[in-house]
Amino acid sequence: MKLTVWTYEGPPHVGAMRVATGMEGLHFVLHAPQGDTYADLLFTMIERRDRRPPVTYTTFQARDLGGDTANLFRTACREAWERFRPEALIVGASCTAELIQDDPGGLAESMGLPVPVVALELPSYQRKENFGTDETFLRLVRALARPAARTPQVTANLIGPTALGFRHRDDVAEVTRLLAEMGIAVNVVAPLGARPCDIARLGAAHLNVLMYPEHGEAAARWMERELGQPYTKTVPIGVGATRAFLAEVSQLTGLPVRADTSRLRLPWWSRSVDSTYLTGKRVFVFGDGTHAMAAARVARDEIGFEVVGLGCYNREMARPVRALAKEFGLEALITDDYLEVEAAIERLAPELVLGTQMERHTAKRLGIPCAVISAPVHVQDFPARYAPQMGWEGANVLFDTFVHPLVMGLEEHLLHMFREDFEFHDAAGPSHHGARAPRSAAVGGPPPDAGASADAPRNPPAGRDAGAGVVWLPAAETELRKVPFFVRGKARRNTEAYAAERGIAEIGVETLYEAKAHYAR
Amino acid sequence: MTEGRPLPASRGCRDAPVLKERGQREVFCGLTGIVWLHRKMPDAFFLVVGSRTCAHLLQAAAGVMIFAEPRFGTAILEEKDLAGMADAHEELDREVARLLSRRPDIRRLFLVGSCPSEVIRLDLARAAERLSRRHAPHVAVVNFSGSGIETTFTEGEDACLAAMVPGLPPAEGRELLLVGALPDVVEDQALRLLSGLGIGPVRVLPARRADGAPGVGPQTVYALTQPFLGATAAALDRRGARRIAAPFPFGEEGTTLWLRAIAAEFGVSDETFARVTDAPRARARKAVAAAAATLRGRSVFFLPDSQLEIPLARFLVRECGMEAVEVGSPYIHADLAGPDLDLLPAGPVISEGQDVDRQLDRVRAARPDLTVCGLGLANPLEAEGLTTKWAIELVFTPIHLYDQAGDLAQLFARPLRRRNLLRLEAAE
């Protein structure tokens, strides 16, 4: 038993729903009590889908438990088939139905429905949503995909996009374009948009592009083994990863890399002088393994940030995330407890958080800028505009996404120059985020304690962490407040560390500047 | 008596046949009530003993997550808890001890049963007794079930309040008890109106703070503020309290009739009643009229959600001039819904329970101007060209009493106004 408030992933049957809802012509009969239908609103509200998920819930009640819940399942199954006429059915149990052990798979098979019925095993008390997507898609592929002659032209399947996926819709478009530029057509995209009959012809492609290992790796491995299709290991998020991905595709297909980078802007945006201020900004990265690793690489190598924390919530990806963290000189944070992530963010006091909607909430509370880079996400992270994460346009989007929460370069420069000026006081925040400016700004003059509230709203201003036993003298505290807020946290930490190392008990103005000189880059 | 709208001929919808349906239900389970109950009781923590699905539901139902020190959580059952029962109790004790030591501000702890905990017959009543003894007197531990196999959406609040009734102290005096978790702003308005009528003492269930728990006894009379509190009413009746039957206080008419029934019980004169209610009644009528212009003559179809459907249909038909096509409710307490059914003119189908696909067939056939439904159905129906109102807003938003009557009408009018406002089609 573990106390949980917010969860990064839903139960595995929600993963199965993401596969079913992404597909066409497939129906999911879920043995479940009333209330489990809440999951429909994830799709209709958060993703704004215009159709109900293709899911029939058996809706058993307490009074059915002693009786015939199995029959309830059969009835629901038959009615779903009659009403929706799907090409194939998947059947499974939610957490409660798992306990009553009605065996939906066996029941459905015995009904003799005229379409393939795929039974799902979704261990609700052991696994989670991403297991559910991966497992459901694997079962579908195993049941429906058959060896097939390869298409005359070189083609690829795009594997892994689902309903409720973070930017999956646009990633599919971007990757399709990348492949097209190399002369590779897409055979099938699955699960998103595929019909069961499309799953049957997966085997005609020359290779699989595994877009999201979280949702498609098991199926990609199976197809490699059973259908002889190699799959790509590189996820093309970021400029470097996209180039590596194209090289990998070239190696798998024998086709030369051909890339139209005329629409790629990240490298120049990063080299342009306004971006100088991004140098060494301390970022904390957390999300699903794939997106967290990609974001960390982009942050360090393509924007010039310093990655101070890296982790993921899905244990399935713990190994590669740990390896990458080690390469960054960090220890990976692998946890599905958002409070542990919050504690890490608080301890590291980064200048930017790249995370999920959980970290967005945490960062908001801590007063740290944040951008969302991974599921789980909320309605605002399903934009109307084209906003992929993958490929060249994805790289452009990442640049904007990472930089937008921060103060602009020129603006930071002005804050340095006029930091005592009322219009440029610390708490005013970036000028392009109107809602953040506190009202006190309007009356003129910096709020007397704007500094303390901006750098660590939830902590006493001095003497924490490194500073156990280290005291800030009032003059030094005042001087520290003159340091712009976006580097003040770093200045405070560095000074305290400097003092602690040297056994200095009281931090004066001199200590502050000695520490500054010591840590000067 | 003040002037009112004429009662419908015969008994309105009281004797109308009820279409009872059984099948897939597109409704929340009772756990959802925690989202507003925990706001109402700031010294309470709601600990669901359940699965990851329960935690995920609460997260999804809460929509935008209320993030500052949440006072609800899920003790997620794991494989090892399912294997041996004694173990699950120990695990629960450990989690509760950890929680209470971290949160000394918690005075009431609700152990909330879920579908899985009910199916494995985890005895939370026994756990609550044991934990109450252990953590007394600082924390009182109460259990109720919000499971989907037993409760539909607002029935979770009913189960919660009913579970609190046996623990209420005895009361000897004649007191009025208001029952139902209202937003503070609405509760304060109710108390002001009743105080203006000279009625008191008035107590409220649930009380905002543990030490404010009302007493109950044979002299207690109570008025429900929500139509879904059948089990709570039964529990209060068992304690000897007596219910004041009335329509529910939605809209100008509903509020007036609800207050009038209470006033009659306490012998308030017509003059006093008029003095206290005339001004807010006039305000309410004026505010409703503004929205009624949009609503008049339009048809409305209620899918079952919160049991608020019957009183709200009565409001929309009688005060806003709408025409009800079907009024679906997850469950109809004949006694509690009776006064509202009396007022609802015959005509609409009254349905109880749900088979969602069949009901949607009826929606499509009727093509109502406005469909009141859950979040899972709203966008799909909009995509079919139907205008919808999310039912959940009716539970989360202050809609009771005079000064919310206009807001209530606006909630229904806004989707229709919006539809008229947008110019999204291609030019001819």
Short mmCIF file of all heavy atoms in Angstrom, two decimals, chain B residues 164-217:
data_model
loop_
_atom_site.label_atom_id
_atom_site.label_comp_id
_atom_site.label_asym_id
_atom_site.label_seq_id
_atom_site.Cartn_x
_atom_site.Cartn_y
_atom_site.Cartn_z
N MET B 164 -21.36 10.25 8.98
CA MET B 164 -21.07 11.16 10.09
C MET B 164 -22.21 11.21 11.10
O MET B 164 -22.00 11.57 12.26
CB MET B 164 -20.82 12.58 9.55
CG MET B 164 -19.55 12.69 8.71
SD MET B 164 -19.48 14.24 7.78
CE MET B 164 -18.96 15.34 9.09
N VAL B 165 -23.42 10.87 10.66
CA VAL B 165 -24.60 11.06 11.53
C VAL B 165 -24.52 10.28 12.84
O VAL B 165 -24.77 10.86 13.91
CB VAL B 165 -25.90 10.75 10.76
CG1 VAL B 165 -27.11 10.71 11.70
CG2 VAL B 165 -26.12 11.77 9.66
N PRO B 166 -24.16 9.00 12.84
CA PRO B 166 -24.14 8.28 14.12
C PRO B 166 -23.19 8.90 15.14
O PRO B 166 -23.40 8.76 16.35
CB PRO B 166 -23.68 6.87 13.73
CG PRO B 166 -24.00 6.74 12.28
CD PRO B 166 -23.83 8.12 11.71
N GLY B 167 -22.16 9.59 14.66
CA GLY B 167 -21.19 10.18 15.58
C GLY B 167 -21.56 11.57 16.07
O GLY B 167 -20.84 12.15 16.88
N LEU B 168 -22.68 12.11 15.59
CA LEU B 168 -23.05 13.46 16.03
C LEU B 168 -23.53 13.41 17.47
O LEU B 168 -24.20 12.46 17.88
CB LEU B 168 -24.18 14.02 15.14
CG LEU B 168 -23.84 14.21 13.66
CD1 LEU B 168 -25.06 14.72 12.90
CD2 LEU B 168 -22.68 15.18 13.49
N PRO B 169 -23.21 14.43 18.25
CA PRO B 169 -23.66 14.43 19.65
C PRO B 169 -25.17 14.55 19.73
O PRO B 169 -25.80 15.08 18.82
CB PRO B 169 -22.97 15.68 20.24
CG PRO B 169 -22.67 16.54 19.07
CD PRO B 169 -22.43 15.63 17.91
N PRO B 170 -25.78 14.07 20.82
CA PRO B 170 -27.22 14.22 20.97
C PRO B 170 -27.57 15.69 21.24
O PRO B 170 -26.76 16.42 21.78
CB PRO B 170 -27.56 13.35 22.19
CG PRO B 170 -26.26 13.16 22.91
CD PRO B 170 -25.15 13.35 21.94
N ALA B 171 -28.76 16.10 20.81
CA ALA B 171 -29.22 17.46 21.07
C ALA B 171 -30.63 17.38 21.62
O ALA B 171 -31.44 16.58 21.15
CB ALA B 171 -29.18 18.29 19.79
N GLU B 172 -30.93 18.19 22.59
CA GLU B 172 -32.26 18.19 23.19
C GLU B 172 -33.15 19.27 22.59
O GLU B 172 -34.32 19.05 22.33
CB GLU B 172 -32.15 18.42 24.71
CG GLU B 172 -31.48 17.27 25.46
CD GLU B 172 -32.09 15.91 25.13
OE1 GLU B 172 -33.35 15.81 25.06
OE2 GLU B 172 -31.33 14.95 24.93
N GLY B 173 -32.55 20.45 22.34
CA GLY B 173 -33.35 21.61 21.94
C GLY B 173 -33.88 21.50 20.53
O GLY B 173 -33.48 20.63 19.75
N ARG B 174 -34.80 22.42 20.23
CA ARG B 174 -35.36 22.49 18.88
C ARG B 174 -34.38 23.27 18.01
O ARG B 174 -34.14 24.46 18.23
CB ARG B 174 -36.71 23.19 18.95
CG ARG B 174 -37.41 23.32 17.62
CD ARG B 174 -38.85 23.74 17.88
NE ARG B 174 -39.50 24.28 16.70
CZ ARG B 174 -39.97 23.53 15.70
NH1 ARG B 174 -39.83 22.22 15.74
NH2 ARG B 174 -40.55 24.10 14.66
N GLU B 175 -33.82 22.58 17.06
CA GLU B 175 -32.84 23.21 16.19
C GLU B 175 -33.17 22.89 14.74
O GLU B 175 -33.75 21.85 14.44
CB GLU B 175 -31.43 22.66 16.47
CG GLU B 175 -30.83 23.14 17.79
CD GLU B 175 -29.38 22.70 17.94
OE1 GLU B 175 -28.93 21.80 17.21
OE2 GLU B 175 -28.72 23.27 18.82
N LEU B 176 -32.76 23.82 13.88
CA LEU B 176 -32.86 23.55 12.45
C LEU B 176 -31.49 23.11 11.96
O LEU B 176 -30.48 23.74 12.26
CB LEU B 176 -33.31 24.81 11.69
CG LEU B 176 -33.28 24.67 10.16
CD1 LEU B 176 -34.29 23.63 9.68
CD2 LEU B 176 -33.55 26.02 9.49
N LEU B 177 -31.48 22.01 11.23
CA LEU B 177 -30.23 21.50 10.67
C LEU B 177 -30.31 21.61 9.16
O LEU B 177 -31.25 21.08 8.55
CB LEU B 177 -30.05 20.05 11.12
CG LEU B 177 -28.76 19.33 10.71
CD1 LEU B 177 -27.54 20.04 11.27
CD2 LEU B 177 -28.80 17.88 11.19
N LEU B 178 -29.34 22.32 8.57
CA LEU B 178 -29.24 22.35 7.10
C LEU B 178 -28.29 21.25 6.67
O LEU B 178 -27.18 21.16 7.18
CB LEU B 178 -28.71 23.69 6.61
CG LEU B 178 -29.58 24.92 6.79
CD1 LEU B 178 -28.94 26.11 6.09
CD2 LEU B 178 -30.98 24.66 6.24
N VAL B 179 -28.73 20.43 5.73
CA VAL B 179 -27.93 19.25 5.38
C VAL B 179 -27.51 19.31 3.92
O VAL B 179 -28.35 19.44 3.02
CB VAL B 179 -28.74 17.97 5.64
CG1 VAL B 179 -27.89 16.74 5.37
CG2 VAL B 179 -29.28 17.95 7.07
N GLY B 180 -26.20 19.23 3.70
CA GLY B 180 -25.65 19.26 2.34
C GLY B 180 -24.44 20.18 2.30
O GLY B 180 -24.41 21.20 2.98
N ALA B 181 -23.43 19.78 1.55
CA ALA B 181 -22.19 20.57 1.48
C ALA B 181 -22.36 21.68 0.46
O ALA B 181 -22.23 21.46 -0.74
CB ALA B 181 -21.02 19.67 1.10
N LEU B 182 -22.68 22.87 0.92
CA LEU B 182 -22.83 24.01 0.03
C LEU B 182 -21.54 24.82 0.03
O LEU B 182 -20.82 24.85 1.03
CB LEU B 182 -23.96 24.92 0.52
CG LEU B 182 -25.37 24.35 0.51
CD1 LEU B 182 -26.34 25.38 1.07
CD2 LEU B 182 -25.77 23.96 -0.90
N PRO B 183 -21.26 25.52 -1.07
CA PRO B 183 -20.14 26.45 -1.04
C PRO B 183 -20.36 27.45 0.10
O PRO B 183 -21.50 27.83 0.38
CB PRO B 183 -20.20 27.15 -2.39
CG PRO B 183 -21.01 26.24 -3.27
CD PRO B 183 -21.94 25.51 -2.37
N ASP B 184 -19.27 27.87 0.75
CA ASP B 184 -19.39 28.75 1.92
C ASP B 184 -20.25 29.99 1.62
O ASP B 184 -21.05 30.39 2.45
CB ASP B 184 -18.00 29.19 2.38
CG ASP B 184 -17.25 28.03 3.04
OD1 ASP B 184 -17.89 26.97 3.28
OD2 ASP B 184 -16.04 28.18 3.31
N VAL B 185 -20.07 30.56 0.44
CA VAL B 185 -20.79 31.80 0.13
C VAL B 185 -22.30 31.55 0.14
O VAL B 185 -23.08 32.37 0.64
CB VAL B 185 -20.32 32.39 -1.23
CG1 VAL B 185 -20.51 31.40 -2.37
CG2 VAL B 185 -21.05 33.69 -1.55
N VAL B 186 -22.72 30.38 -0.34
CA VAL B 186 -24.14 30.07 -0.39
C VAL B 186 -24.65 29.72 1.01
O VAL B 186 -25.74 30.14 1.42
CB VAL B 186 -24.39 28.88 -1.35
CG1 VAL B 186 -25.85 28.49 -1.35
CG2 VAL B 186 -23.93 29.24 -2.75
N GLU B 187 -23.84 28.97 1.72
CA GLU B 187 -24.24 28.59 3.08
C GLU B 187 -24.46 29.86 3.93
O GLU B 187 -25.44 29.96 4.68
CB GLU B 187 -23.13 27.73 3.70
CG GLU B 187 -23.48 27.11 5.03
CD GLU B 187 -22.35 26.23 5.51
OE1 GLU B 187 -22.07 25.22 4.83
OE2 GLU B 187 -21.74 26.55 6.55
N ASP B 188 -23.56 30.82 3.78
CA ASP B 188 -23.71 32.06 4.55
C ASP B 188 -24.98 32.81 4.16
O ASP B 188 -25.66 33.37 5.02
CB ASP B 188 -22.48 32.96 4.35
CG ASP B 188 -21.24 32.36 5.01
OD1 ASP B 188 -21.41 31.50 5.90
OD2 ASP B 188 -20.11 32.74 4.63
N GLN B 189 -25.31 32.78 2.87
CA GLN B 189 -26.56 33.43 2.44
C GLN B 189 -27.77 32.75 3.08
O GLN B 189 -28.70 33.41 3.54
CB GLN B 189 -26.71 33.37 0.92
CG GLN B 189 -25.78 34.30 0.16
CD GLN B 189 -25.84 34.05 -1.34
OE1 GLN B 189 -26.80 33.47 -1.83
NE2 GLN B 189 -24.82 34.47 -2.05
N ALA B 190 -27.74 31.41 3.12
CA ALA B 190 -28.85 30.66 3.71
C ALA B 190 -29.00 31.04 5.19
O ALA B 190 -30.11 31.29 5.68
CB ALA B 190 -28.63 29.17 3.55
N LEU B 191 -27.85 31.10 5.87
CA LEU B 191 -27.90 31.42 7.30
C LEU B 191 -28.42 32.85 7.51
O LEU B 191 -29.17 33.11 8.46
CB LEU B 191 -26.50 31.24 7.92
CG LEU B 191 -26.00 29.79 7.92
CD1 LEU B 191 -24.55 29.71 8.40
CD2 LEU B 191 -26.89 28.90 8.80
N ARG B 192 -28.04 33.77 6.63
CA ARG B 192 -28.52 35.15 6.75
C ARG B 192 -30.04 35.22 6.55
O ARG B 192 -30.74 35.88 7.30
CB ARG B 192 -27.83 36.04 5.71
CG ARG B 192 -26.57 36.71 6.22
CD ARG B 192 -26.21 37.97 5.42
NE ARG B 192 -26.04 37.72 4.00
CZ ARG B 192 -24.91 37.24 3.45
NH1 ARG B 192 -23.87 36.95 4.22
NH2 ARG B 192 -24.83 37.05 2.15
N LEU B 193 -30.52 34.51 5.52
CA LEU B 193 -31.97 34.52 5.26
C LEU B 193 -32.73 33.94 6.45
O LEU B 193 -33.73 34.50 6.90
CB LEU B 193 -32.28 33.71 4.00
CG LEU B 193 -31.96 34.39 2.64
CD1 LEU B 193 -31.95 33.36 1.53
CD2 LEU B 193 -32.98 35.49 2.36
N LEU B 194 -32.24 32.81 6.96
CA LEU B 194 -32.95 32.15 8.07
C LEU B 194 -32.90 33.01 9.31
O LEU B 194 -33.88 33.12 10.05
CB LEU B 194 -32.35 30.76 8.32
CG LEU B 194 -32.59 29.76 7.18
CD1 LEU B 194 -31.68 28.55 7.31
CD2 LEU B 194 -34.06 29.33 7.15
N SER B 195 -31.77 33.64 9.52
CA SER B 195 -31.65 34.51 10.68
C SER B 195 -32.60 35.71 10.54
O SER B 195 -33.24 36.13 11.50
CB SER B 195 -30.18 34.94 10.82
OG SER B 195 -30.09 36.20 11.39
N GLY B 196 -32.72 36.23 9.31
CA GLY B 196 -33.66 37.31 9.05
C GLY B 196 -35.10 36.90 9.36
O GLY B 196 -35.92 37.70 9.82
N LEU B 197 -35.40 35.63 9.11
CA LEU B 197 -36.75 35.12 9.40
C LEU B 197 -36.93 34.84 10.89
O LEU B 197 -38.01 34.42 11.31
CB LEU B 197 -37.00 33.84 8.60
CG LEU B 197 -37.07 33.98 7.07
CD1 LEU B 197 -37.11 32.63 6.40
CD2 LEU B 197 -38.28 34.82 6.67
N GLY B 198 -35.87 35.01 11.64
CA GLY B 198 -35.96 34.77 13.08
C GLY B 198 -35.88 33.30 13.45
O GLY B 198 -36.31 32.90 14.53
N ILE B 199 -35.34 32.49 12.54
CA ILE B 199 -35.25 31.05 12.80
C ILE B 199 -33.87 30.72 13.37
O ILE B 199 -32.84 31.13 12.83
CB ILE B 199 -35.49 30.26 11.50
CG1 ILE B 199 -36.93 30.48 11.03
CG2 ILE B 199 -35.22 28.76 11.72
CD1 ILE B 199 -37.20 29.99 9.63
N GLY B 200 -33.85 29.99 14.46
CA GLY B 200 -32.57 29.59 15.04
C GLY B 200 -32.80 28.75 16.27
O GLY B 200 -33.93 28.68 16.76
N PRO B 201 -31.78 28.10 16.79
CA PRO B 201 -30.45 28.04 16.18
C PRO B 201 -30.44 27.16 14.92
O PRO B 201 -31.20 26.22 14.81
CB PRO B 201 -29.59 27.42 17.29
CG PRO B 201 -30.54 26.74 18.22
CD PRO B 201 -31.87 27.40 18.08
N VAL B 202 -29.58 27.56 13.99
CA VAL B 202 -29.42 26.80 12.75
C VAL B 202 -28.02 26.18 12.74
O VAL B 202 -27.04 26.87 12.98
CB VAL B 202 -29.60 27.70 11.50
CG1 VAL B 202 -29.53 26.86 10.24
CG2 VAL B 202 -30.91 28.46 11.58
N ARG B 203 -27.98 24.90 12.51
CA ARG B 203 -26.68 24.21 12.41
C ARG B 203 -26.54 23.62 11.01
O ARG B 203 -27.53 23.51 10.28
CB ARG B 203 -26.59 23.12 13.46
CG ARG B 203 -26.97 23.57 14.87
CD ARG B 203 -26.01 24.62 15.39
NE ARG B 203 -24.65 24.13 15.49
CZ ARG B 203 -24.19 23.44 16.53
NH1 ARG B 203 -24.98 23.16 17.55
NH2 ARG B 203 -22.94 23.02 16.56
N VAL B 204 -25.33 23.25 10.67
CA VAL B 204 -25.05 22.79 9.31
C VAL B 204 -24.31 21.46 9.32
O VAL B 204 -23.39 21.27 10.12
CB VAL B 204 -24.21 23.84 8.54
CG1 VAL B 204 -23.88 23.34 7.14
CG2 VAL B 204 -24.95 25.17 8.46
N LEU B 205 -24.74 20.55 8.47
CA LEU B 205 -24.01 19.30 8.27
C LEU B 205 -23.61 19.22 6.80
O LEU B 205 -24.49 19.33 5.94
CB LEU B 205 -24.91 18.10 8.62
CG LEU B 205 -24.29 16.71 8.46
CD1 LEU B 205 -23.25 16.46 9.53
CD2 LEU B 205 -25.36 15.63 8.49
N PRO B 206 -22.35 19.09 6.43
CA PRO B 206 -21.21 18.94 7.33
C PRO B 206 -20.74 20.28 7.88
O PRO B 206 -20.80 21.29 7.18
CB PRO B 206 -20.14 18.36 6.39
CG PRO B 206 -20.47 18.94 5.06
CD PRO B 206 -21.96 19.05 5.01
N ALA B 207 -20.26 20.27 9.13
CA ALA B 207 -19.69 21.47 9.71
C ALA B 207 -18.32 21.71 9.09
O ALA B 207 -17.64 20.78 8.70
CB ALA B 207 -19.56 21.31 11.22
N ARG B 208 -17.96 23.00 9.00
CA ARG B 208 -16.66 23.30 8.40
C ARG B 208 -15.51 22.75 9.25
O ARG B 208 -14.50 22.33 8.72
CB ARG B 208 -16.50 24.81 8.24
CG ARG B 208 -17.42 25.37 7.14
CD ARG B 208 -17.31 26.86 6.98
NE ARG B 208 -18.60 27.38 6.49
CZ ARG B 208 -18.85 28.65 6.23
NH1 ARG B 208 -17.92 29.56 6.38
NH2 ARG B 208 -20.03 29.03 5.79
N ARG B 209 -15.68 22.79 10.56
CA ARG B 209 -14.62 22.32 11.47
C ARG B 209 -15.14 21.20 12.34
O ARG B 209 -16.33 21.16 12.68
CB ARG B 209 -14.16 23.47 12.39
CG ARG B 209 -13.60 24.65 11.64
CD ARG B 209 -12.09 24.54 11.53
NE ARG B 209 -11.58 25.39 10.46
CZ ARG B 209 -10.41 25.21 9.87
NH1 ARG B 209 -9.64 24.20 10.24
NH2 ARG B 209 -9.99 26.01 8.92
N ALA B 210 -14.26 20.30 12.74
CA ALA B 210 -14.65 19.14 13.54
C ALA B 210 -15.36 19.57 14.81
O ALA B 210 -16.34 18.95 15.23
CB ALA B 210 -13.41 18.31 13.88
N ASP B 211 -14.87 20.66 15.45
CA ASP B 211 -15.47 21.04 16.74
C ASP B 211 -16.81 21.76 16.55
O ASP B 211 -17.45 22.11 17.54
CB ASP B 211 -14.49 21.89 17.56
CG ASP B 211 -13.94 23.06 16.76
OD1 ASP B 211 -14.55 23.40 15.73
OD2 ASP B 211 -12.91 23.63 17.17
N GLY B 212 -17.21 21.97 15.31
CA GLY B 212 -18.51 22.61 15.08
C GLY B 212 -19.60 21.62 14.72
O GLY B 212 -20.65 22.02 14.22
N ALA B 213 -19.37 20.33 14.96
CA ALA B 213 -20.35 19.32 14.57
C ALA B 213 -21.69 19.58 15.23
O ALA B 213 -21.75 19.86 16.43
CB ALA B 213 -19.85 17.92 14.94
N PRO B 214 -22.78 19.54 14.45
CA PRO B 214 -24.09 19.81 15.02
C PRO B 214 -24.56 18.64 15.88
O PRO B 214 -24.10 17.51 15.70
CB PRO B 214 -24.98 19.96 13.78
CG PRO B 214 -24.33 19.09 12.75
CD PRO B 214 -22.85 19.19 13.02
N GLY B 215 -25.48 18.93 16.80
CA GLY B 215 -26.13 17.85 17.53
C GLY B 215 -27.38 17.42 16.78
O GLY B 215 -27.84 18.10 15.88
N VAL B 216 -27.92 16.26 17.17
CA VAL B 216 -29.15 15.82 16.54
C VAL B 216 -29.97 15.06 17.57
O VAL B 216 -29.43 14.36 18.43
CB VAL B 216 -28.86 14.98 15.27
CG1 VAL B 216 -28.07 13.73 15.61
CG2 VAL B 216 -30.14 14.60 14.54
N GLY B 217 -31.29 15.25 17.53
CA GLY B 217 -32.15 14.58 18.50
C GLY B 217 -33.60 14.68 18.04
O GLY B 217 -33.88 15.17 16.94
#
